[in-house]
Amino acid sequence: MHVVFGANIELQGGHYGNAVLSRFPVAGHRNHLLPNLDNGEQRGVLIAEIELPGQPQPLRFMATHSDHRRADAERIASAEAINALAIEHPETATLLAGDLNDTPDSEILRTFGQQWASVNQQPLPTIPVGEP
């Protein structure tokens, strides 16, 4: 397996962030820090270029973990930043995955919906925590 990591914060003598694990080679990767509002935990989006067999160009894979706090301003700002990164390469197939920490009818999902299409028929929520 191939792994890349994007550090967002220092934690307990190491780092905390996002990772991508792939069975296919990773041609390159870059971590982008996302907007940090109200002194929350620094979030980021890790973009990995994954070489797929028989494909002329790599797949861009974006991995993120959105803020968990009740107020959604940071999640919306992060969605806008991720959308802006996605349109930098409109000719490249791109997948976004991660824990978005919001409900299917939320403003963050509407913001992502301006740029992205869902690949699953049924939402796979991660919240509420008691019954994800």
Side-chain angles (χ1 to χ4, degrees), residues 19-103:
V20 171
L21 182 64
S22 172
R23 69 180 177 146
F24 301 112
V26 178
H29 70 283
R30 183 165 180 206
N31 192 53
H32 298 266
L33 297 180
L34 295 171
N36 185 341
L37 308 179
D38 302 322
N39 294 320
E41 183 178 283
Q42 179 64 60
R43 303 294 176 145
V45 60
L46 176 60
I47 302 175
E49 297 172 359
I50 300 174
E51 296 178 345
L52 300 177
Q55 297 300 311
Q57 64 182 13
L59 168 73
R60 288 179 79 222
F61 188 89
M62 302 175 82
T64 193
H65 185 181
S66 297
D67 183 62
H68 68 283
R69 295 174 294 174
R70 185 174 301 275
D72 62 1
E74 186 169 310
R75 286 189 301 282
I76 293 168
S78 292
E80 291 169 347
I82 290 169
N83 282 353
L85 289 168
I87 62 174
E88 288 180 356
H89 300 279
E91 73 290 346
T92 304
T94 305
L95 289 175
L96 170 64
D99 184 347
L100 303 180
N101 272 321
D102 223 325
T103 58

